[in-house]
C-alpha cells in the first residue's frame, strides 16, 4: 500500500507476436528514494512459448526459463537497464496471451534502524497472433464472416456463384 522505493518497467518491441518472431525487451529500474538499497536482485521470467537468445546482463537459467541479474547496491536516484532477446517458438499456441514478468527485490535500513526487504513487479503482456497465416481464408476474412476488402468480397461472391452453379447442375441432372 505504500509507494515503492524503486521504479521498474518492462518494455518490449511488439504487442502482437507470431511464431518465429524475435522479441526484444528492455527492463529499466531506478531508485526513486533517498535510501541506499542493498542486495538488489532482478529476475525476468519468460513463458514456455519463448526461447531465450541473449541478454546484456545477468545469467540465464534454463530450468526457470529466467534471467537473473545481481545488481548489488542501488544508491538514491541511481538507475540501470538490461536488454534481452527471445524468439517465439514455432509451435506456440495461437491466440494465447503470454506475460514476461520482471521482479526486483532489495533490502534497506528503515528509519527505525530495522532491516526491511521489499519487492517490486513489472510485466509486459503479448498476444500470439491467431491470424498467423496458417489458413488463407482467415487472413482474407480477418477472422470474421464478412470480408473487409475488395478481394474478400470478390472471393465471397465467387463462392456464392459456385454454390449456385452446383445447385443448378444438381437440379438439371435430376
Amino acid at each position: 500500500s505504500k509507494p515503492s522505493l524503486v521504479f521498474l518497467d518492462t518494455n518490449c518491441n511488439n504487442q502482437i507476436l507470431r511464431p518465429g518472431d524475435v522479441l526484444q525487451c528492455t527492463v529499466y529500474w531506478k531508485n526513486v528514494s533517498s535510501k541506499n538499497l542493498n542486495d538488489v536482485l532482478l529476475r525476468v521470467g519468460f513463458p514456455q512459448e519463448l526461447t531465450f537468445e541473449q541478454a546484456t546482463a545477468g545469467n540465464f537459467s534454463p530450468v526457470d526459463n529466467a534471467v537473473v541479474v545481481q545488481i548489488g547496491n542501488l544508491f538514491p536516484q541511481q538507475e540501470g537497464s538490461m536488454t534481452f532477446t527471445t524468439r517465439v517458438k514455432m509451435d506456440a499456441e495461437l491466440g494465447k496471451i503470454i506475460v514476461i514478468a520482471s521482479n526486483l527485490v532489495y533490502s534497506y535500513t528503515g528509519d527505525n534502524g530495522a532491516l526491511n526487504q521489499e519487492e517490486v513487479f513489472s510485466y509486459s503482456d503479448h498476444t500470439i497472433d491467431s491470424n498467423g497465416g496458417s489458413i488463407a481464408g482467415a487472413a482474407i476474412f480477418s477472422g470474421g464472416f464478412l470480408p473487409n476488402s475488395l478481394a474478400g468480397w470478390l472471393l465471397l461472391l465467387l463462392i456464392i456463384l459456385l454454390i449456385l452453379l452446383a445447385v443448378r447442375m444438381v437440379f438439371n441432372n435430376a
Side-chain angles (χ1 to χ4, degrees):
S1 61
K2 67 178 184 172
S4 175
L5 303 180
V6 176
F7 172 78
L8 181 66
D9 182 50
T10 304
N11 190 351
C12 301
N13 62 341
N14 290 328
Q15 175 72 32
I16 305 297
L17 302 172
R18 291 182 179 82
D21 279 358
V22 171
L23 179 65
Q24 186 171 21
C25 302
T26 299
V27 179
Y28 168 80
W29 59 87
K30 181 176 183 178
N31 180 349
V32 293
S33 75
S34 60
K35 300 192 178 302
N36 290 329
L37 307 180
N38 305 308
D39 305 319
V40 181
L41 184 73
L42 172 70
R43 181 185 182 278
V44 182
F46 312 109
Q48 65 183 5
E49 290 79 9
L50 298 178
T51 301
F52 173 78
E53 291 194 346
Q54 65 179 2
T56 58
N59 297 310
F60 177 70
S61 168
V63 173
D64 297 333
N65 208 30
V67 171
V68 176
V69 181
Q70 292 185 356
I71 298 170
N73 296 324
L74 199 56
F75 301 107
Q77 303 306 310
Q78 185 179 2
E79 58 189 64
S81 66
M82 61 90 68
T83 301
F84 61 88
T85 305
T86 60
R87 184 176 300 274
V88 181
K89 292 182 180 177
M90 294 306 290
D91 63 349
E93 181 182 340
L94 299 179
K96 186 171 185 178
I97 296 173
I98 61 171
V99 176
I100 296 170
S102 303
N103 62 315
L104 189 133
V105 295
Y106 55 91
S107 61
Y108 66 96
T109 303
D111 295 336
N112 60 1
L115 183 64
N116 297 305
Q117 290 185 321
E118 293 184 2
E119 184 172 20
V120 62
F121 293 93
S122 173
Y123 69 91
S124 179
D125 63 325
H126 308 271
T127 303
I128 299 176
D129 189 4
S130 60
N131 292 330
S134 59
I135 301 174
I140 293 173
F141 293 109
S142 298
F145 177 74
L146 293 177
N148 61 0
S149 67
L150 179 60
W153 281 106
L154 291 175
L155 181 61
L156 181 61
L157 183 61
L158 179 64
I159 291 171
I160 292 171
L161 288 175
L162 288 174
I163 292 171
L164 289 175
L165 182 63
V167 169
R168 183 175 175 190
M169 288 177 63
V170 167
F171 282 115
N172 285 342
N173 290 338

